Amino acid sequence: MTREPSMIRFRIAVLIVVFAVCAFSGLLGEVQPPAASSLQAPAAAGATETRPATSQKQITAYTLPPDLYQKAHDRSRIHFRLAIIGFVYGLVVLWLILRWKLAAKFRDWAERSSSRRFLQALVFSPLLLLTMAVFSLPLDIYGEIVEKRYGISVQGWGSWSWDWIKSELIGLVIGTILIWLLYMVIRRSPRRAWFYFWLMAVPIGVFLFFLGPWVIDPLFHKFEPLQQKNPALTTSLEQMVQRAGENIPPERMFWMGAGEKTTALDAYVTGIGASKRMVVFDTTIAKMNNPQIVYVAGHETGHYVLQHIPKGLAFFAALLLLFFYVVFRLIGWVLTRWGAAWEVRGLEDWASLPALLFLLSLLFFVTNPVGSAFSRHLEHQADQFGLEVTHGLTPDSAQVAAQAFQILGEVDLSDPDPNPADVFLYYDHPTISDRVRFCLTYNPWEHGGAGEFVK
């Protein structure tokens, strides 16, 4: 599964476009969550590698010793509760902003500052976004405390605070632009604003996904060519990619310095077109051997070969269109019923934004199981692709894949027995237990057959 450390993700830049893009990025991003934990710090890049005993152990099922099992189960339970609390708390924050007429006050300040709509957006949007950020900060901090408690995060509070500030500044810039565009189309075409804004939001989301690896990601982590850090692994990955029939040259394979902030293991693909790339955490290199990493990378390559990026973009774009339509159908009734008490003059009023976000939040939560199930399906396909592309390339490839998942589970404290409701609502990857079981049982070659994706 993949779960962001912050429990409140219903801020404007996330809710309108960035949420969909981030959800899709997470869908393609990891074999395991970036917010995962380890009981010991990984070896530093370039140092002598310390690999878990599991690295060579014969795997028959995903299991954890009693102490690790309890920690994994407790951590999973905390995350599930925080996710539910974060959703409810996010709604409460939006309601309080409306109830206390903060949005109306921000609108008044914006309108007094200038008669030009864009300049009003430059006043209103940061005030609202910063208010939401401040309200959400306690849960953000508590989420980080949990990560530190379970060994997930080794990041100092100063570094964490700077990352939080950077993410908020990015959200302010993107959110301000989106808010201005939203109310521009509302004023010009209130009946079809949901459709016209969607037409603008989707290309912006695709552009952000394209730009992210070049502009946004380097603000938070250090990236270096994998070929310089680990030539042998790069050669092995090249062989796998060639067999997959995909074009990911060595210059698009990157080492990421995650170990200074987290003990989690991870690898992911990101970007489209010229920004397309494969990234491997330094912690993964420290904990896995090359054949195991090649399987993980084979999974990631599968996302490109199986066209999961355009499929994911199309899926979330369609979901956003539905959301915008439903929200704009409901918002008139909401403002008629409560708008006067909130001092909201109508849909074209800047102060109506928290009400729009409230409805969007509800829709995202209600449909989250659909998005999670879609993501789990694509991730299962990528697992299968990884098995097929490494079959015949890696000796005993099924066992190697199972070992890789076992290591991920041990280091990241993946719950062997998660709450079914948690899986239904939030797991965008299959459970580790299911993935190990699939690795050990999938064998179309046993009776002379062939793989579905790699012949």
Side-chain angles (χ1 to χ4, degrees):
M1 72 178 183
T2 301
R3 182 173 293 151
E4 292 292 327
S6 173
M7 293 297 111
I8 296 182
R9 291 301 176 198
F10 297 116
R11 304 170 195 173
I12 182 63
V14 177
L15 273 175
I16 298 179
V17 172
V18 181
F19 183 94
V21 176
C22 288
F24 174 60
S25 300
L27 176 156
L28 297 181
E30 303 83 20
V31 177
Q32 273 301 103
S37 79
S38 168
L39 300 181
Q40 58 183 344
T48 301
E49 295 180 357
T50 304
R51 304 194 189 279
T54 311
S55 180
Q56 305 299 332
K57 185 175 69 175
Q58 193 76 7
I59 303 299
T60 58
Y62 175 57
T63 58
L64 293 176
D67 59 332
L68 288 188
Y69 176 88
Q70 191 59 50
K71 288 182 177 180
H73 195 64
D74 290 346
R75 177 175 172 270
S76 176
R77 186 171 58 226
I78 291 172
H79 271 285
F80 183 38
R81 290 175 180 173
L82 279 177
I84 298 297
I85 291 171
F87 162 69
V88 175
Y89 182 65
L91 293 180
V92 171
V93 167
L94 291 169
W95 180 80
L96 287 176
I97 289 173
L98 290 167
R99 180 68 179 82
W100 292 343
K101 303 174 186 177
L102 295 179
K105 289 184 176 67
F106 298 156
R107 173 208 60 211
D108 292 342
W109 295 347
E111 290 179 345
R112 283 197 296 266
S113 68
S114 176
S115 60
R116 298 182 61 181
R117 296 289 293 179
F118 181 71
L119 294 179
Q120 290 177 8
L122 291 180
V123 174
F124 174 82
S125 303
L127 286 172
L128 179 65
L129 296 176
L130 287 173
T131 300
M132 295 170 66
V134 170
F135 270 117
S136 72
L137 185 57
L139 275 186
D140 288 341
I141 292 174
Y142 182 72
E144 176 66 9
I145 290 173
V146 171
E147 305 302 274
K148 292 181 184 301
R149 179 191 306 168
Y150 285 91
I152 222 180
S153 175
V154 293
Q155 187 176 17
W157 281 109
S159 174
W160 182 89
S161 300
W162 178 228
D163 279 353
W164 185 87
I165 291 171
K166 286 185 288 187
S167 67
E168 294 303 327
L169 290 174
I170 293 170
L172 285 179
V173 173
I174 298 172
T176 298
I177 294 172
L178 291 172
I179 292 169
W180 173 63
L181 290 174
L182 172 63
Y183 283 90
M184 179 181 70
V185 297
I186 287 175
R187 289 172 68 87
R188 294 187 179 183
S189 181
R191 292 174 60 88
R192 295 182 178 83
W194 59 274
F195 180 68
Y196 294 137
F197 182 65
W198 177 81
L199 286 178
M200 293 187 291
V202 170
I204 291 173
V206 174
F207 178 70
L208 290 173
F209 189 71
F210 169 79
L211 204 61
W214 284 337
V215 178
I216 298 176
D217 294 352
L219 295 175
F220 298 93
H221 292 286
K222 180 181 180 181
F223 294 85
E224 295 185 22
L226 184 63
Q227 196 167 27
Q228 295 179 8
K229 287 289 186 178
N230 197 320
L233 175 59
T234 305
T235 300
S236 298
L237 293 180
E238 282 186 273
Q239 294 173 349
M240 180 275 296
V241 169
Q242 288 174 1
R243 184 168 189 224
E246 183 61 27
N247 180 29
I248 307 178
E251 55 267 25
R252 293 194 180 185
M253 298 178 183
F254 290 88
W255 168 98
M256 191 183 98
E260 64 183 10
K261 296 183 180 181
T262 181
T263 58
L265 309 187
D266 205 354
Y268 65 91
V269 294
T270 187
I272 51 177
S275 70
K276 179 173 70 174
R277 62 192 56 204
M278 179 187 297
V279 178
V280 182
F281 280 23
D282 59 342
T283 51
T284 305
I285 296 172
K287 294 293 184 180
M288 289 187 186
N289 60 35
N290 279 6
Q292 292 159 356
I293 297 174
V294 168
Y295 169 74
V296 173
H299 165 105
E300 301 302 330
T301 304
H303 284 308
Y304 278 126
V305 175
L306 301 179
Q307 299 297 305
H308 287 172
I309 289 179
K311 290 177 182 177
L313 287 173
F315 176 84
F316 284 107
L319 208 57
L320 276 179
L321 181 62
L322 175 64
F323 288 175
F324 292 164
Y325 174 76
V326 173
V327 166
F328 274 81
R329 293 282 294 185
L330 294 176
I331 192 62
W333 172 79
V334 170
L335 295 181
T336 300
R337 176 68 176 80
W338 293 287
W342 297 334
E343 295 185 4
V344 178
R345 299 190 293 250
L347 178 58
E348 74 286 349
D349 184 355
W350 298 110
S352 68
L353 182 60
L356 289 169
L357 293 182
F358 190 97
L359 293 174
L360 276 173
S361 299
L362 287 174
L363 286 175
F364 272 117
F365 181 77
V366 169
T367 60
N368 201 58
V370 177
S372 295
F374 175 74
S375 174
R376 288 196 300 271
H377 170 69
L378 296 191
E379 292 298 334
H380 176 72
Q381 285 190 332
D383 286 348
Q384 180 179 332
F385 185 92
L387 288 169
E388 293 181 8
V389 79
T390 56
H391 178 74
L393 191 66
T394 299
D396 201 5
S397 55
Q399 181 60 214
V400 167
Q403 289 172 354
F405 282 123
Q406 178 70 33
I407 294 170
L408 284 166
E410 289 179 2
V411 176
D412 295 353
L413 288 181
S414 297
D415 190 357
D417 186 28
N419 187 325
D422 192 8
V423 176
F424 176 73
L425 285 171
Y426 296 114
Y427 270 50
D428 50 17
H429 288 60
T431 67
I432 287 288
S433 298
D434 287 343
R435 301 174 91 174
V436 169
R437 189 180 304 113
F438 178 71
C439 289
L440 296 175
T441 57
Y442 181 70
N443 190 6
W445 309 279
E446 184 176 13
H447 302 294
E452 179 182 358
F453 304 125
V454 182
K455 305 300 182 181

